[in-house]
Short mmCIF file of all heavy atoms in Angstrom, two decimals:
data_model
loop_
_atom_site.label_atom_id
_atom_site.label_comp_id
_atom_site.label_asym_id
_atom_site.label_seq_id
_atom_site.Cartn_x
_atom_site.Cartn_y
_atom_site.Cartn_z
N LEU A 111 53.62 90.75 100.16
CA LEU A 111 54.59 91.54 99.37
C LEU A 111 54.16 93.02 99.13
O LEU A 111 54.97 93.93 99.46
CB LEU A 111 54.93 90.87 98.04
CG LEU A 111 56.14 91.37 97.27
CD1 LEU A 111 57.39 91.35 98.08
CD2 LEU A 111 56.30 90.48 96.04
N PRO A 112 53.00 93.21 98.62
CA PRO A 112 52.65 94.66 98.31
C PRO A 112 52.73 95.61 99.53
O PRO A 112 53.31 96.70 99.39
CB PRO A 112 51.23 94.58 97.79
CG PRO A 112 51.03 93.16 97.34
CD PRO A 112 51.93 92.34 98.16
N GLN A 113 52.27 95.11 100.72
CA GLN A 113 52.33 95.93 101.89
C GLN A 113 53.73 96.09 102.33
O GLN A 113 54.17 97.22 102.82
CB GLN A 113 51.43 95.35 103.06
CG GLN A 113 51.23 96.33 104.17
CD GLN A 113 50.54 97.56 103.74
OE1 GLN A 113 49.51 97.57 103.08
NE2 GLN A 113 51.14 98.77 104.11
N TRP A 114 54.50 95.03 102.28
CA TRP A 114 55.93 95.14 102.69
C TRP A 114 56.65 96.18 101.80
O TRP A 114 57.45 97.00 102.42
CB TRP A 114 56.70 93.83 102.34
CG TRP A 114 56.79 92.87 103.53
CD1 TRP A 114 56.60 93.09 104.84
CD2 TRP A 114 57.10 91.53 103.38
NE1 TRP A 114 56.77 91.95 105.56
CE2 TRP A 114 57.06 90.93 104.72
CE3 TRP A 114 57.34 90.64 102.31
CZ2 TRP A 114 57.32 89.61 105.00
CZ3 TRP A 114 57.60 89.27 102.60
CH2 TRP A 114 57.60 88.81 103.91
N LEU A 115 56.40 96.18 100.56
CA LEU A 115 57.11 97.16 99.68
C LEU A 115 56.64 98.63 99.96
O LEU A 115 57.47 99.55 99.98
CB LEU A 115 56.84 96.79 98.20
CG LEU A 115 57.57 95.52 97.75
CD1 LEU A 115 57.11 95.22 96.31
CD2 LEU A 115 59.06 95.66 97.79
N ILE A 116 55.38 98.78 100.22
CA ILE A 116 54.81 100.07 100.61
C ILE A 116 55.55 100.60 101.92
O ILE A 116 56.04 101.70 101.97
CB ILE A 116 53.31 100.10 100.78
CG1 ILE A 116 52.66 99.97 99.42
CG2 ILE A 116 52.78 101.37 101.45
CD1 ILE A 116 51.19 99.55 99.47
N ASP A 117 55.51 99.71 102.90
CA ASP A 117 56.13 100.05 104.22
C ASP A 117 57.62 100.39 104.12
O ASP A 117 58.11 101.30 104.72
CB ASP A 117 55.88 98.90 105.21
CG ASP A 117 54.45 98.72 105.61
OD1 ASP A 117 53.65 99.65 105.30
OD2 ASP A 117 54.12 97.71 106.18
N LEU A 118 58.29 99.60 103.36
CA LEU A 118 59.77 99.67 103.15
C LEU A 118 60.03 101.00 102.42
O LEU A 118 60.94 101.75 102.81
CB LEU A 118 60.33 98.51 102.38
CG LEU A 118 61.82 98.46 102.20
CD1 LEU A 118 62.62 98.70 103.46
CD2 LEU A 118 62.26 97.16 101.50
N ARG A 119 59.23 101.29 101.38
CA ARG A 119 59.44 102.57 100.63
C ARG A 119 59.34 103.77 101.61
O ARG A 119 60.11 104.65 101.59
CB ARG A 119 58.51 102.70 99.48
CG ARG A 119 58.66 103.94 98.68
CD ARG A 119 57.47 104.24 97.82
NE ARG A 119 57.38 103.23 96.70
CZ ARG A 119 58.03 103.34 95.57
NH1 ARG A 119 58.78 104.31 95.35
NH2 ARG A 119 57.85 102.36 94.69
N GLN A 120 58.22 103.74 102.39
CA GLN A 120 57.97 104.78 103.30
C GLN A 120 59.01 104.92 104.39
O GLN A 120 59.45 106.03 104.71
CB GLN A 120 56.61 104.63 103.94
CG GLN A 120 55.42 104.89 102.94
CD GLN A 120 54.07 104.53 103.54
OE1 GLN A 120 53.98 103.87 104.55
NE2 GLN A 120 53.08 105.02 102.89
N ALA A 121 59.54 103.79 104.88
CA ALA A 121 60.59 103.81 105.88
C ALA A 121 61.88 104.42 105.35
O ALA A 121 62.52 105.22 106.02
CB ALA A 121 60.85 102.40 106.43
N ILE A 122 62.20 104.08 104.09
CA ILE A 122 63.40 104.66 103.49
C ILE A 122 63.21 106.13 103.26
O ILE A 122 64.08 106.96 103.56
CB ILE A 122 63.70 103.95 102.17
CG1 ILE A 122 64.14 102.51 102.41
CG2 ILE A 122 64.81 104.64 101.39
CD1 ILE A 122 64.17 101.59 101.20
N GLU A 123 62.04 106.52 102.73
CA GLU A 123 61.75 107.98 102.46
C GLU A 123 61.79 108.73 103.79
O GLU A 123 62.27 109.89 103.80
CB GLU A 123 60.42 108.18 101.80
CG GLU A 123 60.44 107.78 100.29
CD GLU A 123 59.12 107.72 99.63
OE1 GLU A 123 58.08 108.00 100.35
OE2 GLU A 123 59.08 107.51 98.43
N ALA A 124 61.35 108.14 104.92
CA ALA A 124 61.35 108.80 106.16
C ALA A 124 62.75 108.73 106.84
O ALA A 124 62.95 109.29 107.94
CB ALA A 124 60.28 108.17 107.08
N GLN A 125 63.64 107.99 106.20
CA GLN A 125 64.97 107.79 106.75
C GLN A 125 64.92 107.21 108.16
O GLN A 125 65.64 107.57 109.05
CB GLN A 125 65.84 109.05 106.70
CG GLN A 125 65.95 109.59 105.28
CD GLN A 125 67.14 110.59 105.11
OE1 GLN A 125 67.82 110.98 106.04
NE2 GLN A 125 67.41 111.00 103.86
N ASP A 126 63.98 106.26 108.26
CA ASP A 126 63.75 105.52 109.53
C ASP A 126 64.70 104.30 109.51
O ASP A 126 64.40 103.29 108.97
CB ASP A 126 62.32 105.09 109.63
CG ASP A 126 61.96 104.40 110.95
OD1 ASP A 126 62.85 103.72 111.49
OD2 ASP A 126 60.86 104.52 111.37
N GLN A 127 65.86 104.51 110.14
CA GLN A 127 66.90 103.50 110.13
C GLN A 127 66.47 102.11 110.65
O GLN A 127 66.60 101.09 109.98
CB GLN A 127 68.20 103.96 110.82
CG GLN A 127 69.38 103.15 110.59
CD GLN A 127 69.63 102.13 111.70
OE1 GLN A 127 68.92 102.15 112.75
NE2 GLN A 127 70.50 101.17 111.51
N PRO A 128 65.94 102.08 111.88
CA PRO A 128 65.61 100.76 112.48
C PRO A 128 64.47 100.06 111.67
O PRO A 128 64.60 98.89 111.37
CB PRO A 128 65.05 101.06 113.91
CG PRO A 128 65.39 102.50 114.12
CD PRO A 128 65.69 103.16 112.85
N LEU A 129 63.45 100.80 111.22
CA LEU A 129 62.34 100.19 110.50
C LEU A 129 62.82 99.73 109.10
O LEU A 129 62.46 98.61 108.70
CB LEU A 129 61.16 101.16 110.41
CG LEU A 129 59.90 100.55 109.75
CD1 LEU A 129 59.41 99.32 110.46
CD2 LEU A 129 58.84 101.65 109.65
N SER A 130 63.54 100.55 108.38
CA SER A 130 63.97 100.15 107.02
C SER A 130 64.92 98.94 107.07
O SER A 130 64.80 98.04 106.24
CB SER A 130 64.57 101.31 106.27
OG SER A 130 65.58 101.92 106.96
N LYS A 131 65.72 98.90 108.06
CA LYS A 131 66.60 97.77 108.24
C LYS A 131 65.80 96.57 108.53
O LYS A 131 66.00 95.43 107.94
CB LYS A 131 67.64 98.04 109.37
CG LYS A 131 68.59 96.91 109.59
CD LYS A 131 69.46 97.12 110.86
CE LYS A 131 70.46 96.02 111.10
NZ LYS A 131 69.85 94.64 111.17
N ARG A 132 64.85 96.62 109.47
CA ARG A 132 64.07 95.47 109.83
C ARG A 132 63.22 94.89 108.67
O ARG A 132 63.20 93.73 108.43
CB ARG A 132 63.17 95.83 110.99
CG ARG A 132 62.38 94.53 111.57
CD ARG A 132 61.80 94.87 112.87
NE ARG A 132 60.82 96.02 112.91
CZ ARG A 132 59.60 95.92 112.42
NH1 ARG A 132 59.13 94.82 111.86
NH2 ARG A 132 58.83 97.01 112.40
N LEU A 133 62.62 95.81 107.96
CA LEU A 133 61.76 95.44 106.77
C LEU A 133 62.63 94.77 105.68
O LEU A 133 62.20 93.79 105.14
CB LEU A 133 61.01 96.61 106.25
CG LEU A 133 59.85 97.08 107.16
CD1 LEU A 133 59.37 98.45 106.72
CD2 LEU A 133 58.68 96.10 107.13
N ALA A 134 63.85 95.38 105.45
CA ALA A 134 64.69 94.84 104.40
C ALA A 134 65.16 93.43 104.85
O ALA A 134 65.26 92.52 104.01
CB ALA A 134 65.91 95.77 104.22
N HIS A 135 65.40 93.32 106.06
CA HIS A 135 65.92 91.98 106.61
C HIS A 135 64.79 90.90 106.48
O HIS A 135 65.08 89.72 106.10
CB HIS A 135 66.26 92.17 108.15
CG HIS A 135 66.70 90.84 108.79
ND1 HIS A 135 68.02 90.42 108.62
CD2 HIS A 135 66.07 89.92 109.51
CE1 HIS A 135 68.16 89.25 109.23
NE2 HIS A 135 67.00 88.96 109.82
N THR A 136 63.53 91.27 106.78
CA THR A 136 62.41 90.38 106.66
C THR A 136 62.24 89.90 105.14
O THR A 136 62.06 88.78 104.86
CB THR A 136 61.13 91.01 107.17
OG1 THR A 136 61.28 91.50 108.49
CG2 THR A 136 59.91 90.04 107.04
N LEU A 137 62.32 90.90 104.28
CA LEU A 137 62.14 90.65 102.90
C LEU A 137 63.32 89.77 102.35
O LEU A 137 63.07 88.81 101.63
CB LEU A 137 62.16 91.99 102.15
CG LEU A 137 61.59 92.01 100.79
CD1 LEU A 137 60.19 91.35 100.68
CD2 LEU A 137 61.46 93.49 100.32
N LYS A 138 64.53 90.00 102.88
CA LYS A 138 65.71 89.18 102.39
C LYS A 138 65.44 87.78 102.81
O LYS A 138 65.69 86.88 102.06
CB LYS A 138 66.91 89.77 103.15
CG LYS A 138 68.22 88.88 102.81
CD LYS A 138 69.36 89.33 103.70
CE LYS A 138 69.12 88.95 105.16
NZ LYS A 138 70.25 89.41 106.03
N GLY A 139 64.99 87.55 104.01
CA GLY A 139 64.69 86.22 104.49
C GLY A 139 63.70 85.44 103.64
O GLY A 139 63.90 84.25 103.31
N SER A 140 62.65 86.14 103.26
CA SER A 140 61.63 85.56 102.42
C SER A 140 62.20 85.19 101.01
O SER A 140 61.90 84.19 100.49
CB SER A 140 60.39 86.41 102.30
OG SER A 140 59.66 86.38 103.51
N LEU A 141 62.89 86.18 100.48
CA LEU A 141 63.53 86.01 99.11
C LEU A 141 64.46 84.84 99.15
O LEU A 141 64.58 84.10 98.20
CB LEU A 141 64.13 87.30 98.62
CG LEU A 141 63.15 88.38 98.28
CD1 LEU A 141 63.87 89.72 98.14
CD2 LEU A 141 62.37 88.06 97.05
N ARG A 142 65.23 84.76 100.23
CA ARG A 142 66.28 83.77 100.33
C ARG A 142 65.64 82.30 100.32
O ARG A 142 66.25 81.36 99.76
CB ARG A 142 67.09 83.93 101.59
CG ARG A 142 68.34 83.09 101.67
CD ARG A 142 69.29 83.60 102.70
NE ARG A 142 70.10 84.65 102.19
CZ ARG A 142 70.72 85.54 103.02
NH1 ARG A 142 70.69 85.46 104.30
NH2 ARG A 142 71.47 86.53 102.43
N GLN A 143 64.51 82.17 100.91
CA GLN A 143 63.86 80.83 100.93
C GLN A 143 63.49 80.34 99.51
O GLN A 143 63.33 79.15 99.25
CB GLN A 143 62.66 80.80 101.88
CG GLN A 143 61.42 81.45 101.36
CD GLN A 143 60.33 81.49 102.45
OE1 GLN A 143 60.51 80.96 103.55
NE2 GLN A 143 59.17 81.99 102.11
N PHE A 144 63.35 81.29 98.58
CA PHE A 144 63.13 80.86 97.17
C PHE A 144 64.40 80.80 96.32
O PHE A 144 64.34 80.61 95.12
CB PHE A 144 62.14 81.81 96.53
CG PHE A 144 60.78 81.90 97.21
CD1 PHE A 144 60.35 83.09 97.80
CD2 PHE A 144 60.06 80.75 97.45
CE1 PHE A 144 59.15 83.17 98.47
CE2 PHE A 144 58.87 80.84 98.17
CZ PHE A 144 58.39 81.98 98.63
N GLY A 145 65.51 80.88 97.02
CA GLY A 145 66.76 80.77 96.37
C GLY A 145 66.95 81.80 95.20
O GLY A 145 67.55 81.47 94.19
N THR A 146 66.52 82.95 95.42
CA THR A 146 66.54 84.01 94.42
C THR A 146 67.67 85.03 94.62
O THR A 146 67.92 85.39 95.74
CB THR A 146 65.22 84.70 94.21
OG1 THR A 146 65.34 85.92 93.42
CG2 THR A 146 64.60 85.11 95.58
N ALA A 147 68.27 85.50 93.51
CA ALA A 147 69.29 86.55 93.54
C ALA A 147 68.77 87.82 94.13
O ALA A 147 69.57 88.62 94.63
CB ALA A 147 69.85 86.76 92.14
N ALA A 148 67.50 88.06 94.08
CA ALA A 148 66.91 89.30 94.67
C ALA A 148 67.20 89.35 96.18
O ALA A 148 67.23 90.44 96.73
CB ALA A 148 65.40 89.26 94.40
N ALA A 149 67.48 88.24 96.79
CA ALA A 149 67.86 88.23 98.17
C ALA A 149 69.19 88.99 98.41
O ALA A 149 69.33 89.67 99.40
CB ALA A 149 68.01 86.79 98.73
N THR A 150 70.08 88.95 97.42
CA THR A 150 71.30 89.66 97.47
C THR A 150 71.10 91.18 97.40
O THR A 150 71.69 91.92 98.20
CB THR A 150 72.21 89.23 96.31
OG1 THR A 150 72.36 87.81 96.32
CG2 THR A 150 73.62 89.79 96.44
#
């Protein structure tokens, strides 16, 4: 998680569309497996 969040923050700040989308997608998948609203 910590590295994911660092990478995602940097991707968003850099306005890197493919990377920020991919990282958000990965995070969503992990959050979803815990049935958490954070996945939304």
